[in-house]
Amino acid sequence: MISFKKISHDDISQMEKVTRLKLINGLSGFKGANLIGTINRNGIENLAVFNSVVHIGSNPPFMGFIMRPLTVARHTYENIKETGWYTINHINKDMYRQAHQTSGNYKRDISEFDISGLHTTHSDTCSAPFVEESRIRIGMKFEEEHPIEANGTMLIVGSVEEVWLSKDYIEGDGYLDIEKAGSVAISGLDGYYEAQRLDKLSYVRVDPSKARRAD
Amino acid sequence: MISFKKISHDDISQMEKVTRLKLINGLSGFKGANLIGTINRNGIENLAVFNSVVHIGSNPPFMGFIMRPLTVARHTYENIKETGWYTINHINKDMYRQAHQTSGNYKRDISEFDISGLHTTHSDTCSAPFVEESRIRIGMKFEEEHPIEANGTMLIVGSVEEVWLSKDYIEGDGYLDIEKAGSVAISGLDGYYEAQRLDKLSYVRVDPSKARRAD
């Protein structure tokens, strides 16, 4: 028997800052662990962990992520706006500790590739660097941005221009087996998880008497 | 040695619809598995799986999620706009099959609580129904919406008004142990995963000579 406790909006306001940060960051559930790679016009590369990558659409293919407020320098944002390109790279079990090192606040002339020991790899079309150690790498073109009034964060939406991966991760029906690729999940700010598939459920077909008409 | 293959934007456009849907939905990595509960002004309740819940901020606490295009009826959206309230409920290992049933397209006068066999529970302050079988339940107030021009989806942002959970899930530093709560992750549209913590890494402190000034 679980004893449920209510934590109100006021309780949250009165929490100590770090306690609140850790608790609230856990509420959204498991999140993808991704590295976003960019380059500025002077050729300085940047790499940063993001746990807010979200699916926007498949046809055409779009993905989004949330940027923290721009009240301090955000190299990822500045580089995306300068060049129009960025990469999303799945973090896997073999390099999540190195990947996490990129979450520090480094000077702009320092590349987090050097800090973390991760390596760059490039494609002919995407100007932003990919992460060689990542097994699922996505080349993205900036599409639109939406400032969130509530707190100054921003939704960045981009178009999937190219995907680099092994065919072995793609099942017969198109399903991408990210467990096979070793991809990890994040909870909160810094909890890293491996995942095992419980089930692949099928599309829910509704009894016609209960179904909504396609209107 | 992994043999990487490039899938271009054109390759994606030419894929068969369901194959593309499954592949592109897997690119964002692991996602939280949540049920969003709402009620309309006539008292009809609605419950639907969302795998796009995202952290927006902790002080004040905000969360977001992506709504599919409004070209067909979206009961969750309509109910949120009618009442201002909704709930986010973590899906756990003991009820993910029931939760998945809510992803079918049902008529508006049918409650997915009845379809799935999940039960409602209520609080004094939040008018939307919570899911009794969920172990982490969040009462949300609508804050803002951002239509995404690229494909007509929408980012919905809300304020965390109350959280219902067991104190046992909260570690000493505030970290929320969602694995202990049995919360599951989704990959793609319908792959359900359990997760085991690999590590809880610490905040990255940067050598002062490499640190960005707080400006």
Side-chain angles (χ1 to χ4, degrees), chain A residues 180-209:
Chain A
K180 194 169 187 179
S183 301
V184 295
I186 293 183
S187 178
L189 289 166
D190 45 20
Y192 287 81
Y193 291 77
E194 61 181 337
Q196 282 85 41
R197 199 191 297 180
L198 290 162
D199 232 332
K200 191 170 142 188
L201 299 177
S202 51
Y203 180 76
V204 176
R205 299 199 183 275
V206 174
D207 171 346
S209 71

Short mmCIF file of all heavy atoms in Angstrom, two decimals, chain A residues 180-209:
data_model
loop_
_atom_site.label_atom_id
_atom_site.label_comp_id
_atom_site.label_asym_id
_atom_site.label_seq_id
_atom_site.Cartn_x
_atom_site.Cartn_y
_atom_site.Cartn_z
N LYS A 180 19.52 -2.05 -28.71
CA LYS A 180 20.61 -2.74 -29.41
C LYS A 180 21.77 -1.78 -29.69
O LYS A 180 22.93 -2.18 -29.68
CB LYS A 180 20.06 -3.30 -30.73
CG LYS A 180 20.95 -4.31 -31.41
CD LYS A 180 20.20 -4.99 -32.54
CE LYS A 180 20.99 -6.13 -33.13
NZ LYS A 180 20.23 -6.80 -34.20
N ALA A 181 21.43 -0.51 -29.92
CA ALA A 181 22.47 0.50 -30.17
C ALA A 181 23.11 0.96 -28.86
O ALA A 181 24.00 1.81 -28.88
CB ALA A 181 21.86 1.68 -30.91
N GLY A 182 22.64 0.44 -27.73
CA GLY A 182 23.23 0.79 -26.43
C GLY A 182 22.81 2.16 -25.91
O GLY A 182 23.39 2.66 -24.94
N SER A 183 21.81 2.78 -26.55
CA SER A 183 21.38 4.12 -26.13
C SER A 183 20.92 4.11 -24.68
O SER A 183 20.33 3.14 -24.21
CB SER A 183 20.22 4.60 -27.02
OG SER A 183 20.61 4.65 -28.37
N VAL A 184 21.21 5.18 -23.95
CA VAL A 184 20.82 5.26 -22.55
C VAL A 184 19.73 6.32 -22.37
O VAL A 184 19.47 7.13 -23.26
CB VAL A 184 22.02 5.58 -21.63
CG1 VAL A 184 23.02 4.44 -21.65
CG2 VAL A 184 22.70 6.90 -21.98
N ALA A 185 19.09 6.26 -21.20
CA ALA A 185 18.07 7.24 -20.83
C ALA A 185 18.61 8.06 -19.66
O ALA A 185 19.51 7.63 -18.95
CB ALA A 185 16.79 6.52 -20.43
N ILE A 186 18.04 9.25 -19.48
CA ILE A 186 18.38 10.09 -18.33
C ILE A 186 17.12 10.27 -17.51
O ILE A 186 16.02 10.36 -18.05
CB ILE A 186 18.91 11.48 -18.79
CG1 ILE A 186 20.26 11.34 -19.50
CG2 ILE A 186 19.01 12.45 -17.61
CD1 ILE A 186 20.89 12.67 -19.92
N SER A 187 17.27 10.29 -16.19
CA SER A 187 16.19 10.81 -15.35
C SER A 187 16.79 11.94 -14.53
O SER A 187 17.94 11.87 -14.09
CB SER A 187 15.60 9.74 -14.45
OG SER A 187 14.59 10.32 -13.63
N GLY A 188 16.00 12.99 -14.34
CA GLY A 188 16.50 14.16 -13.63
C GLY A 188 17.59 14.81 -14.46
O GLY A 188 17.55 14.82 -15.70
N LEU A 189 18.61 15.32 -13.79
CA LEU A 189 19.69 16.01 -14.49
C LEU A 189 20.84 15.07 -14.80
O LEU A 189 21.57 15.27 -15.76
CB LEU A 189 20.23 17.14 -13.61
CG LEU A 189 19.28 18.32 -13.45
CD1 LEU A 189 19.74 19.22 -12.32
CD2 LEU A 189 19.22 19.10 -14.75
N ASP A 190 21.04 14.06 -13.95
CA ASP A 190 22.29 13.32 -14.06
C ASP A 190 22.19 11.85 -13.68
O ASP A 190 23.19 11.21 -13.37
CB ASP A 190 23.36 14.02 -13.20
CG ASP A 190 22.80 14.40 -11.83
OD1 ASP A 190 21.78 13.80 -11.42
OD2 ASP A 190 23.38 15.28 -11.18
N GLY A 191 20.98 11.30 -13.73
CA GLY A 191 20.81 9.87 -13.52
C GLY A 191 20.79 9.20 -14.89
O GLY A 191 19.96 9.51 -15.73
N TYR A 192 21.74 8.28 -15.12
CA TYR A 192 21.84 7.58 -16.41
C TYR A 192 21.34 6.16 -16.25
O TYR A 192 21.67 5.47 -15.27
CB TYR A 192 23.28 7.60 -16.93
CG TYR A 192 23.68 8.97 -17.43
CD1 TYR A 192 24.06 9.98 -16.55
CD2 TYR A 192 23.61 9.28 -18.78
CE1 TYR A 192 24.39 11.26 -17.01
CE2 TYR A 192 23.94 10.54 -19.25
CZ TYR A 192 24.33 11.52 -18.36
OH TYR A 192 24.64 12.78 -18.82
N TYR A 193 20.54 5.68 -17.22
CA TYR A 193 19.87 4.38 -17.13
C TYR A 193 20.06 3.57 -18.41
O TYR A 193 20.07 4.14 -19.51
CB TYR A 193 18.36 4.59 -16.93
CG TYR A 193 18.00 5.17 -15.58
CD1 TYR A 193 18.18 6.53 -15.32
CD2 TYR A 193 17.50 4.38 -14.55
CE1 TYR A 193 17.87 7.07 -14.08
CE2 TYR A 193 17.18 4.91 -13.31
CZ TYR A 193 17.37 6.25 -13.08
OH TYR A 193 17.06 6.79 -11.85
N GLU A 194 20.16 2.26 -18.23
CA GLU A 194 20.04 1.37 -19.40
C GLU A 194 18.63 0.81 -19.38
O GLU A 194 18.00 0.74 -18.32
CB GLU A 194 21.09 0.26 -19.37
CG GLU A 194 21.01 -0.64 -18.19
CD GLU A 194 22.11 -1.72 -18.23
OE1 GLU A 194 22.63 -2.03 -19.30
OE2 GLU A 194 22.42 -2.26 -17.16
N ALA A 195 18.13 0.41 -20.53
CA ALA A 195 16.73 0.00 -20.61
C ALA A 195 16.60 -1.35 -21.30
O ALA A 195 17.37 -1.67 -22.20
CB ALA A 195 15.94 1.05 -21.37
N GLN A 196 15.62 -2.14 -20.84
CA GLN A 196 15.32 -3.43 -21.48
C GLN A 196 13.86 -3.41 -21.93
O GLN A 196 12.97 -3.04 -21.17
CB GLN A 196 15.48 -4.59 -20.49
CG GLN A 196 16.92 -5.01 -20.25
CD GLN A 196 17.55 -4.16 -19.17
OE1 GLN A 196 16.90 -3.88 -18.17
NE2 GLN A 196 18.79 -3.74 -19.36
N ARG A 197 13.65 -3.87 -23.15
CA ARG A 197 12.29 -3.85 -23.68
C ARG A 197 11.39 -4.83 -22.93
O ARG A 197 11.76 -6.00 -22.73
CB ARG A 197 12.30 -4.21 -25.16
CG ARG A 197 11.01 -3.77 -25.86
CD ARG A 197 10.90 -4.35 -27.26
NE ARG A 197 11.97 -3.87 -28.12
CZ ARG A 197 12.09 -4.26 -29.40
NH1 ARG A 197 11.22 -5.10 -29.93
NH2 ARG A 197 13.09 -3.81 -30.13
N LEU A 198 10.25 -4.35 -22.49
CA LEU A 198 9.24 -5.20 -21.86
C LEU A 198 8.34 -5.78 -22.94
O LEU A 198 7.90 -6.92 -22.86
CB LEU A 198 8.35 -4.36 -20.92
CG LEU A 198 9.00 -3.82 -19.64
CD1 LEU A 198 8.16 -2.68 -19.07
CD2 LEU A 198 9.12 -4.94 -18.62
N ASP A 199 8.05 -4.98 -23.95
CA ASP A 199 7.01 -5.31 -24.89
C ASP A 199 7.03 -4.35 -26.08
O ASP A 199 7.43 -3.21 -25.93
CB ASP A 199 5.65 -5.07 -24.20
CG ASP A 199 4.74 -6.26 -24.29
OD1 ASP A 199 4.87 -7.03 -25.26
OD2 ASP A 199 3.92 -6.43 -23.38
N LYS A 200 6.61 -4.87 -27.21
CA LYS A 200 6.36 -3.99 -28.36
C LYS A 200 4.88 -4.19 -28.65
O LYS A 200 4.49 -5.23 -29.18
CB LYS A 200 7.25 -4.43 -29.52
CG LYS A 200 7.30 -3.49 -30.68
CD LYS A 200 8.41 -3.95 -31.63
CE LYS A 200 8.03 -3.76 -33.08
NZ LYS A 200 9.03 -4.38 -33.97
N LEU A 201 4.08 -3.25 -28.23
CA LEU A 201 2.63 -3.41 -28.35
C LEU A 201 2.20 -3.00 -29.75
O LEU A 201 2.91 -2.30 -30.45
CB LEU A 201 1.92 -2.58 -27.28
CG LEU A 201 2.27 -2.98 -25.84
CD1 LEU A 201 1.58 -2.07 -24.84
CD2 LEU A 201 1.87 -4.43 -25.56
N SER A 202 1.02 -3.45 -30.11
CA SER A 202 0.60 -3.11 -31.48
C SER A 202 -0.32 -1.91 -31.46
O SER A 202 -0.81 -1.46 -30.43
CB SER A 202 -0.05 -4.32 -32.13
OG SER A 202 -1.04 -4.81 -31.26
N TYR A 203 -0.54 -1.39 -32.65
CA TYR A 203 -1.46 -0.28 -32.88
C TYR A 203 -2.83 -0.70 -32.35
O TYR A 203 -3.29 -1.81 -32.59
CB TYR A 203 -1.50 -0.01 -34.39
CG TYR A 203 -2.39 1.09 -34.80
CD1 TYR A 203 -2.02 2.42 -34.61
CD2 TYR A 203 -3.63 0.82 -35.37
CE1 TYR A 203 -2.86 3.45 -35.00
CE2 TYR A 203 -4.48 1.84 -35.76
CZ TYR A 203 -4.09 3.15 -35.57
OH TYR A 203 -4.92 4.17 -35.94
N VAL A 204 -3.50 0.18 -31.61
CA VAL A 204 -4.79 -0.17 -31.00
C VAL A 204 -5.91 0.02 -32.02
O VAL A 204 -6.15 1.13 -32.50
CB VAL A 204 -5.05 0.69 -29.74
CG1 VAL A 204 -6.43 0.41 -29.17
CG2 VAL A 204 -3.98 0.44 -28.69
N ARG A 205 -6.58 -1.08 -32.37
CA ARG A 205 -7.72 -0.99 -33.29
C ARG A 205 -9.00 -0.94 -32.46
O ARG A 205 -9.21 -1.76 -31.58
CB ARG A 205 -7.76 -2.21 -34.23
CG ARG A 205 -6.50 -2.26 -35.07
CD ARG A 205 -6.58 -3.11 -36.32
NE ARG A 205 -5.27 -3.10 -36.95
CZ ARG A 205 -4.85 -2.15 -37.78
NH1 ARG A 205 -5.64 -1.17 -38.13
NH2 ARG A 205 -3.62 -2.18 -38.28
N VAL A 206 -9.85 0.04 -32.79
CA VAL A 206 -11.02 0.32 -31.96
C VAL A 206 -12.26 -0.32 -32.57
O VAL A 206 -12.47 -0.24 -33.79
CB VAL A 206 -11.19 1.85 -31.82
CG1 VAL A 206 -12.47 2.20 -31.10
CG2 VAL A 206 -9.99 2.45 -31.11
N ASP A 207 -13.08 -0.96 -31.72
CA ASP A 207 -14.39 -1.47 -32.11
C ASP A 207 -15.16 -0.35 -32.84
O ASP A 207 -15.33 0.74 -32.29
CB ASP A 207 -15.09 -1.88 -30.79
CG ASP A 207 -16.56 -2.24 -30.95
OD1 ASP A 207 -17.15 -1.94 -32.00
OD2 ASP A 207 -17.10 -2.80 -29.98
N PRO A 208 -15.65 -0.60 -34.08
CA PRO A 208 -16.28 0.48 -34.86
C PRO A 208 -17.39 1.22 -34.10
O PRO A 208 -17.58 2.42 -34.30
CB PRO A 208 -16.84 -0.24 -36.09
CG PRO A 208 -16.00 -1.46 -36.23
CD PRO A 208 -15.60 -1.85 -34.83
N SER A 209 -18.11 0.54 -33.19
CA SER A 209 -19.19 1.21 -32.47
C SER A 209 -18.66 2.24 -31.48
O SER A 209 -19.38 3.11 -31.00
CB SER A 209 -20.04 0.17 -31.72
OG SER A 209 -19.29 -0.35 -30.62
#
